[in-house]
Amino acid sequence: MLAKPFDQAFDDEDWVFEIKWDGYRAVADLSHTNPQFYSRNGISFLSKFEKVAKDFDQQKHKMILDGEIVAYDEHGKPNFQLLQQIGDHPDMALTYQVFDLLWLNGHSTEELPLVQRKELLKEALTETDVIKYCDHIPEKGTAFFNQMKKMKLEGMIAKKAGSLYMENHRTNDWLKIKFTNTDEAIICGFTEPKGSRENFGALILGKYISGKLIYCGHTGTGFNHESLKQLHDRLQKLIIKTSPFETVPKTNMPVTWTKPELVCEIKYSEITKDGIYRHPVFVAIREDKEPKDTDTPTNENLREMKAKTPLKKAENSEKEKEITLDKHKVKLTNQDKIYFPKDDITKGDVIAYYQSVASYILPYLKNRPLSLNRFPNGIEEQGFYQKDAGDSMPDWIKTTKVYSESNDKYIDYVYCNDKATLAYLNNLGCIDLNPWNSSLPDLEHPDYLVLDLDPSRKNTFDDVIETALQVNEVLDAIKIKGYCKTSGSTGIHIYIPMGGIYDFDQVKDFAHILMKQVNEKLPKLTTLERSLQKRDDKKIYLDYLQNRTGQTLASVYSLRPKEGASVSMPLEWEEVKPGLKPTDFTIHNALERIKEKGDLFKPVLGKGIDMMKVLELLQNGE
């Protein structure tokens, strides 16, 4: 995807802003066993930039990445000319700044909005000394642009936060805004050298304007002895007899014309009314650019394009509305987007459901980090998990930093304490809500224990019910009250209040003891074998490992991204009997049932059990 030139920085809440790197654009295709790494015009970078390529094997996912290879001078500033001398300086400081994700683990991501692609990228990319995630800032383009100017960088790229990835298109959704006037021009010929100069005097420059090759000036500065000779040698192979321009430009010196194939980057002070560069200086040959890449619209087209660029906010369409909840403005978009195609349930319906049950569900979300399970295009399209809040969340959304050992970094988790956050998350495509078992300020001690009954392919829901009743018998025998809910999918969850007294390992080990008892009572129906490959496909997995730091399950009263729009619903034990179905409770009847029964799950957040007493009872029972 390509960016159009634009002449001024701007602020807009629907846009994000990135550094404009002065380097080689490069795609890394890590979708196969042998990685590919290539420029925009298909030149392989694998051997030239081996320093980057050798870090591809540290990536854990199959992906296609888009980014820019950047070389840095001794002051740590990006330097394009250095990049061309990589062969002479193998130890040069280099990075591959990755700013987009086009494909992940078997699925194209090009149809997802940019900010979602970047959130996925942030999760999936393993950063190394050389491979870096290129971050962005939302909304505040003017301040960012001024900061880039102070740092003497090349400029910035403005990208519409919701833009899809359009391959090989230069659209108004991506704009490049530079400080220095640089441009790409085509070398169309050269003049004879004068005085003591060797090889050539000046390069004749052209560019395509709406498909037609037009003369745009000449440059004789920016070369040293070596670059003059190298370029002269290359141009010898491109010499032609007649001018490539329809209208032959007037020059002071005789010209040797060349095929318009080599693209170079130049700096200049301004462009005259006739389209001629003033004070152009040669910077480098752009091996990664084709002559057609220099094609720009006519001034008329440019004026039209600028008029279309939405720097001022467009009126909200009917699909969009802004509501105020808990004194926060929440912008709801695409309200009529279908989330459950077979049930004709829209994003607006999902948001309305959660607002209607907010007073019931919020106590189970309060102060608990959430893993966001997002389905921005509905349940039949690819969804993705997001743990890190990223920079695109509004300031009022509450987050907490938690260190992740597996990623060796802090992850900024969202938690949901109010209706505004609930609506915002639903608007992002969070159809179900998956909180931790522990809550702030003490994330080390879970508030409850979870026994997750997870059926295999050939189990019926009646098998799950039989197992749940057996769990309840085990709990009754040791005088524990368990609280049961449908998962909203194929399983049943049984919760035991722990009161935040015991740590995760103690709770997990206790859950393991309980599940072993259930397995002993139902050896033909249940298993403690976690691996799907090794597990008998007629057995229910007694999952006690949900009681680990950072594990999440769909919250009570949460919708599930399943056909039928089922809800994870608490049950009285008398209701847990054959014939019950997880699809009995849906978006259509959940609120009515909750009002009728009250909050059956309330004790889960209450006083915890005395685990030591229970373990004594267990021992005596044995």
Side-chain angles (χ1 to χ4, degrees), residues 290-566:
E290 299 283 353
K292 66 178 186 309
D293 294 333
T294 68
D295 200 343
T296 53
T298 59
N299 288 343
E300 199 52 49
N301 291 347
L302 271 171
R303 274 198 292 278
E304 218 174 279
M305 180 189 101
K306 284 180 186 177
K308 282 182 192 163
T309 303
L311 300 188
K312 294 282 174 282
K313 300 297 300 129
E315 286 301 307
N316 283 350
S317 72
E318 293 201 358
K319 298 175 188 176
E320 295 189 2
K321 58 181 181 180
E322 195 167 69
I323 59 172
T324 302
L325 294 165
D326 310 303
K327 298 181 183 167
H328 300 301
K329 283 194 166 67
V330 187
K331 187 172 159 192
L332 305 178
T333 56
N334 299 321
Q335 294 297 281
D336 50 3
K337 184 182 270 189
I338 299 289
Y339 268 9
F340 294 79
K342 294 193 173 71
D343 308 287
D344 203 28
I345 291 167
T346 64
K347 184 202 265 200
D349 296 331
V350 168
I351 292 169
Y353 164 74
Y354 275 108
Q355 290 301 304
S356 76
V357 299
S359 60
Y360 297 102
I361 194 172
L362 283 171
Y364 300 95
L365 303 177
K366 191 176 180 183
N367 295 338
R368 294 177 193 280
L370 294 172
S371 287
L372 308 180
N373 186 19
R374 294 176 56 180
F375 291 86
N377 296 310
I379 66 168
E380 289 184 5
E381 298 296 323
Q382 178 66 13
F384 62 95
Y385 267 101
Q386 177 192 339
K387 289 182 180 176
D388 209 325
D391 295 329
S392 50
M393 300 268 175
D395 295 344
W396 52 264
I397 297 271
K398 291 185 166 66
T399 63
T400 183
K401 287 196 185 308
V402 182
Y403 181 69
S404 160
E405 281 185 18
S406 56
N407 296 319
D408 189 25
K409 64 177 182 184
Y410 280 89
I411 290 175
D412 209 14
Y413 282 93
V414 172
Y415 56 100
C416 176
N417 290 5
D418 52 44
K419 283 182 159 189
T421 308
L422 197 52
Y424 181 85
L425 294 176
N426 298 149
N427 191 62
L428 285 184
C430 298
I431 292 173
D432 57 359
L433 292 156
N434 300 273
W436 280 32
N437 299 356
S438 57
S439 56
L440 293 164
D442 182 3
L443 293 176
E444 301 301 318
H445 296 83
D447 300 299
Y448 42 76
L449 172 155
V450 183
L451 303 174
D452 179 11
L453 311 183
D454 186 7
S456 297
R457 225 161 20 98
K458 292 185 181 170
N459 291 123
T460 64
F461 199 62
D462 282 354
D463 292 339
V464 181
I465 287 164
E466 187 185 340
T467 310
L469 291 170
Q470 186 58 63
V471 172
N472 198 34
E473 269 186 43
V474 166
L475 298 182
D476 275 350
I478 50 176
K479 300 184 171 48
I480 290 181
K481 189 153 172 48
Y483 299 86
C484 175
K485 70 178 179 75
T486 61
S487 68
S489 181
T490 54
I492 277 182
H493 301 150
I494 296 153
Y495 282 52
I496 298 167
M498 301 306 286
I501 300 164
Y502 308 100
D503 67 28
F504 271 101
D505 283 339
Q506 291 170 312
V507 171
K508 181 189 69 180
D509 292 344
F510 182 53
H512 192 188
I513 291 166
L514 296 176
M515 288 301 213
K516 276 201 277 200
Q517 296 244 324
V518 176
N519 181 225
E520 280 165 22
K521 299 261 179 18
L522 294 174
K524 289 186 178 156
L525 182 58
T526 65
T527 178
L528 291 162
E529 174 53 65
R530 187 158 203 228
S531 164
L532 275 168
Q533 284 75 27
K534 296 178 192 166
R535 194 192 308 168
D536 184 329
D537 66 1
K538 296 184 204 67
K539 286 191 173 181
I540 289 169
Y541 172 48
L542 304 174
D543 187 355
Y544 62 92
L545 293 171
Q546 292 291 355
N547 300 287
R548 293 180 300 177
T549 308
Q551 291 293 114
T552 59
L553 275 176
S555 169
V556 65
Y557 309 123
S558 173
L559 267 176
R560 300 309 306 278
K562 306 281 173 190
E563 190 183 326
S566 53

Side-chain angles (χ1 to χ4, degrees), residues 61-209:
H61 298 275
K62 290 184 180 296
M63 310 180 274
I64 299 177
L65 308 172
D66 188 2
E68 190 122 351
I69 304 167
V70 186
Y72 300 85
D73 62 20
E74 68 274 21
H75 307 298
K77 191 166 168 262
N79 184 313
F80 182 73
Q81 281 165 311
L82 269 181
L83 202 55
Q84 298 200 298
Q85 300 156 19
I86 183 78
D88 306 328
H89 306 280
D91 297 330
M92 182 188 298
L94 268 188
T95 61
Y96 179 39
Q97 292 284 347
V98 185
F99 48 67
D100 216 325
L101 176 72
L102 316 189
W103 188 92
L104 177 66
N105 296 334
H107 300 278
S108 168
T109 53
E110 292 184 7
E111 292 293 306
L112 291 175
L114 170 72
V115 286
Q116 290 176 15
R117 296 198 305 273
K118 289 199 75 171
E119 279 157 7
L120 271 178
L121 171 63
K122 197 172 185 181
E123 282 284 308
L125 189 73
T126 302
E127 288 196 293
T128 70
D129 288 345
V130 180
I131 298 174
K132 300 291 180 191
Y133 169 74
C134 171
D135 218 332
H136 58 265
I137 69 126
E139 191 177 340
K140 299 185 168 41
T142 314
F144 185 66
F145 188 70
N146 293 336
Q147 186 60 33
M148 296 301 97
K149 199 166 194 173
K150 273 186 204 158
M151 293 164 72
K152 299 195 170 148
L153 295 175
E154 201 193 11
M156 77 175 182
I157 302 282
K159 295 179 178 178
K160 213 173 194 177
S163 58
L164 310 185
Y165 193 94
M166 312 279 284
E167 285 186 23
N168 295 317
H169 277 67
R170 205 178 284 281
T171 79
N172 291 339
D173 288 348
W174 286 18
L175 304 172
K176 53 184 175 186
I177 307 163
K178 298 180 183 180
F179 316 114
T180 50
N181 294 322
T182 64
D183 204 358
E184 282 123 26
I186 306 161
I187 301 171
C188 299
F190 56 91
T191 61
E192 292 299 310
K194 285 198 291 190
S196 61
R197 185 151 173 168
E198 293 174 6
N199 300 299
F200 63 83
L203 297 176
I204 304 299
L205 305 173
K207 70 186 304 172
Y208 285 103
I209 306 279

Side-chain angles (χ1 to χ4, degrees), residues 236-288:
Q236 294 303 308
K237 297 168 190 158
L238 299 175
I239 290 174
I240 49 175
K241 287 184 177 153
T242 55
S243 165
F245 299 110
E246 269 181 47
T247 309
V248 182
K250 291 192 174 84
T251 54
N252 298 334
M253 302 285 291
V255 177
T256 304
W257 299 110
T258 57
K259 288 180 193 169
E261 287 180 8
L262 267 188
V263 177
C264 67
E265 186 168 321
I266 58 150
K267 290 191 290 195
Y268 62 92
S269 60
E270 61 180 329
I271 296 179
T272 68
K273 283 181 188 158
D274 311 331
I276 306 296
Y277 297 119
R278 290 199 63 200
H279 315 121
V281 177
F282 175 85
V283 176
I285 293 292
R286 294 297 311 224
E287 309 285 3
D288 56 331

